[in-house]
Amino acid sequence: MDASKRTGALSRTGTTSLSDGAAATVSDLSAHRRASTLVAEATRLVEVEAAYIEARQVADRRQELEVAFDRARAEGDEFAELRALQAAKRFDVAHPSRDPLFEQLHAAQLFGAQPAGVAA
C-alpha cells in the first residue's frame, strides 16, 4: 500500500484519508477500503442524507397540516380551520416554497373546494 495513504497524507485531490486503515484492521481489503474513503466523501454523504431526512420531515409536516385542515372542513369546525391556516402560515414562513401551503388552504376555504375524501 502507498505510504501516503497509510499515513493519511494529502491525496491528489487535496483531501485527507478518513482513516489510515492499515493499523486499524488485519484485512488488506478492509484496510484498502478504509484508506481510500476520504473525509470529503464521508462528509458529503452525511450532508446528503441529512438533507433527505429534513426534506422528508418537511413533506410529512405539510401533509399533516393538509389533513388537519381537510378534517376541520369536513367536520364544519371553523375554529380548527383557522388553527390549521395559522399553522400553515407558520409553516410557510419556516419553509418558503413556490407553492405556499397557506395560499393553497386559504383558496380552498374561499372558493369552496371540497376537502379530499368529501363528496360534493
Side-chain angles (χ1 to χ4, degrees):
M1 181 181 293
D2 182 354
S4 68
K5 290 220 180 214
R6 278 195 307 261
T7 61
L10 288 178
S11 70
R12 281 177 246 147
T13 61
T15 57
T16 58
S17 293
L18 180 62
S19 163
D20 70 357
T25 183
V26 294
S27 164
D28 288 339
L29 178 60
S30 182
H32 175 70
R33 188 178 306 126
R34 289 184 61 168
S36 64
T37 302
L38 301 177
V39 172
E41 292 170 358
T43 301
R44 181 68 184 138
L45 289 174
V46 169
E47 290 170 352
V48 167
E49 184 176 351
Y52 173 80
I53 291 169
E54 181 181 358
R56 184 74 254 154
Q57 290 172 339
V58 169
D60 289 347
R61 178 62 180 145
R62 182 182 178 107
Q63 185 177 18
E64 288 172 8
L65 293 172
E66 290 172 352
V67 168
F69 180 79
D70 288 347
R71 185 179 309 120
R73 291 200 62 222
E75 295 171 357
D77 187 344
E78 292 179 7
F79 293 113
E81 273 186 61
L82 290 174
R83 285 191 299 274
L85 287 171
Q86 289 173 334
K89 189 65 174 172
R90 286 191 301 271
F91 176 86
D92 288 341
V93 169
H95 308 286
S97 74
R98 293 185 303 157
D99 183 24
L101 179 60
F102 175 82
E103 289 181 15
Q104 174 189 337
L105 300 181
H106 192 232
Q109 182 186 44
L110 290 176
F111 302 113
Q114 288 295 319
V118 177

